[in-house]
Amino acid sequence: MKKIVWCEPTGMANEIFDGAVVVLSGSGGGLMEADFITEAIERRFLETGHPQNLTLVHALGIGDGVASGISRFAHKGMVSRVIGGHWTWSKRMQKLAHENEIAAYTFPAGVIQTLLREIGAGRHGLVTHVGLDTFADPRQGGGRCNARATEELVEIVHLGGRELLWYKPFKVDFALIRGTACDPQGNLTAREEPADMEAFAAAMAAHNSGGRVFAQVRDALETPIVPAREVLIPGVLVDCVCLNPDQHQTTASKYDLTISGQIAAPNVRTQQPQPEGTRYLIARRATKELEPGKCINFGFGIPDGIPAIAAAEGLEISWTAIEQGAHNGDLLSGHLFGAARYPSAIVKSTEQFDFFSGGGIDIAFLGMGELDAEGNVNASWLGMDIVGPGGFVDITQCAKKVVFCGTFDAKGLKVEHKNGQIQILRYGDIPKLVPKVRHITFSGKRARADGQKVIYITERAVFELMSDGLQLIDVPDGIDLHRDILERIPFPVTVSPEIERRFTQK
């Protein structure tokens, strides 16, 4: 019978060799983050200059947004290539990409996670529709984000008369994962964690590539994990484990069993705080797009305020699902987005992305950076730095209905809401409706071909994607149709007959 090998994190760090491919499993806010290990790797590099020239792979943003997670590797010379799904959790890594110090790639988070599963299964990479006509498509850059990223990591293929993307496999040398506890056989459980994430897929990819799996846990168990169904990672996949008794469940606290699904929801729930200001105006209008009996996804930012408004107004939300794996519950926001209080189910995020890819989401509410005449949305590369899509592409491309939420313009926008009227006191300095988006995170062309219903909500205007472009379908009271909307859009839009009649009558 196999017995677990216990290691100190410094010993694990010493095993990471120059040029290795390292996979980080986890999500932002400390969810399933093996920071005890990554901190030791960073410390070794700062002291010795090794390991260097690593390839770092991560599907979602990882860390506290400042020093941990992805930022542990954000030192000149430490990494030479990053394949990341969400970059904003490390300003330092974004800077390295901007300055061409690394080869920078970004892919949809679900693509990265399920590619790891395919690598672990020994299959020839991932073949999928996810990413077609977006930045991940070779015709739109193939995920490359700077001049140093020259290798083609994705190709177009045709199977059964259908156009698809082939994301190429690679060898994984190390997977860094974590759990709550480890038993004498090396089995890991995540029973007190908010999510399972892609830990199993990452471990399998490394193990079956001939690489190594390093795990971090809070507890060392003296007896086998029971029931056996609570084992997330079987010991056969684990090479060595380090113990961190001070391990935190998230960056907010040590362990809260209400977000690990171990405490049932009370009959009377605490009212969640509602968004304020412009965020409230947009989120409240978005609640009109809710439909009973549907499976809903809420994204990070403005959309994560919709459930609180819906609850306050007695609106039904039948079922929710987020990419980290939680179903239902009270969604947490900010740095803890990805966890839910009192979830009714938690599945592996790789399986959640399979559910999304097959069209399991009925309505998705997501944020919006830029919007153009074709109905394309950019949420993955704004300003100077790579943002990355996270689960945005996987969700929006496959949901039956998509509702984008964002301000009409940015930087300096001031809006007043008084007596049921909305007035724009100051326009933003940065237009968000542009002739052509910089990065296609959502493809209007693909949406029309697939028959998706697409709505775009701002504080002063609501648009719908039609066969010939955008149509203005709603304007709140107090807004001037021409001065506040039409004269500030750098491309033609149609106006619905209802809006035409309303403003003609005025």
Side-chain angles (χ1 to χ4, degrees), residues 234-297:
V236 69
L237 296 179
V238 180
D239 290 286
C240 56
V241 181
C242 68
L243 187 64
N244 180 14
D246 194 43
Q247 178 171 288
H248 280 52
Q249 185 190 44
T250 69
T251 54
S253 64
K254 284 204 170 179
Y255 276 83
D256 177 353
L257 300 188
T258 68
I259 65 174
S260 60
Q262 292 173 286
I263 296 178
N267 292 328
V268 178
R269 306 282 274 277
T270 302
Q271 181 66 48
Q272 297 298 307
Q274 296 191 25
E276 299 178 347
T278 305
R279 290 168 61 89
Y280 172 82
L281 296 175
I282 298 170
R284 188 172 190 278
R285 172 56 182 84
T287 62
K288 294 184 178 181
E289 302 301 326
L290 291 167
E291 300 174 30
K294 302 296 184 181
C295 182
I296 310 294
N297 173 270

Side-chain angles (χ1 to χ4, degrees), residues 26-28 57-63 70 82-90 93-94 105-109 112 135 300 323-324 334 337 379-380 386-392:
S27 188
V57 181
H58 62 94
L60 290 167
I62 300 175
I70 302 160
V82 175
I83 303 170
H86 202 179
W87 287 68
T88 55
W89 288 83
S90 175
M93 194 67 83
Q94 287 179 312
Y105 295 83
T106 189
F107 287 133
I112 295 174
F135 65 84
F300 179 77
E323 57 264 42
Q324 286 82 357
F337 177 81
S380 51
I386 308 164
V387 175
F392 191 102

Side-chain angles (χ1 to χ4, degrees), residues 18 43-53 77-78:
D18 293 351
R43 185 170 62 250
R44 179 191 167 211
F45 175 80
L46 294 175
E47 291 173 354
T48 70
H50 299 279
Q52 59 182 246
N53 296 323
M78 189 175 183

Side-chain angles (χ1 to χ4, degrees), residues 13 23 78 83 126 135 168 288 351 381 384 389 402 405 421 430:
V23 171
M78 189 175 183
I83 303 170
L126 177 67
F135 65 84
K168 301 176 184 179
K288 294 184 178 181
E351 295 172 353
W381 197 339
M384 299 294 290
V402 185
C405 304
Q421 302 273 313
I430 301 175

Side-chain angles (χ1 to χ4, degrees), residues 28-146:
L31 273 66
M32 290 289 278
E33 177 189 355
D35 190 54
F36 203 43
I37 302 173
T38 57
E39 189 276 334
I41 297 170
E42 178 186 38
R43 185 170 62 250
R44 179 191 167 211
F45 175 80
L46 294 175
E47 291 173 354
T48 70
H50 299 279
Q52 59 182 246
N53 296 323
L54 301 174
T55 289
L56 185 68
V57 181
H58 62 94
L60 290 167
I62 300 175
D64 59 7
V66 182
S68 70
I70 302 160
S71 288
R72 296 290 190 199
F73 296 81
H75 301 286
K76 186 175 179 180
M78 189 175 183
V79 292
S80 59
R81 180 173 69 169
V82 175
I83 303 170
H86 202 179
W87 287 68
T88 55
W89 288 83
S90 175
K91 295 295 184 184
R92 295 208 310 263
M93 194 67 83
Q94 287 179 312
K95 185 173 186 288
L96 290 177
H98 177 67
E99 295 175 351
N100 261 322
E101 295 291 346
I102 59 175
Y105 295 83
T106 189
F107 287 133
V111 163
I112 295 174
Q113 289 192 0
T114 51
L115 175 58
L116 291 173
R117 182 190 63 202
E118 297 302 287
I119 292 169
R123 291 187 279 265
H124 201 59
L126 177 67
V127 176
T128 178
H129 55 290
V130 175
L132 281 167
D133 295 316
T134 73
F135 65 84
D137 190 311
R139 294 164 296 195
Q140 299 292 339
R144 297 188 298 274
C145 295
N146 61 6

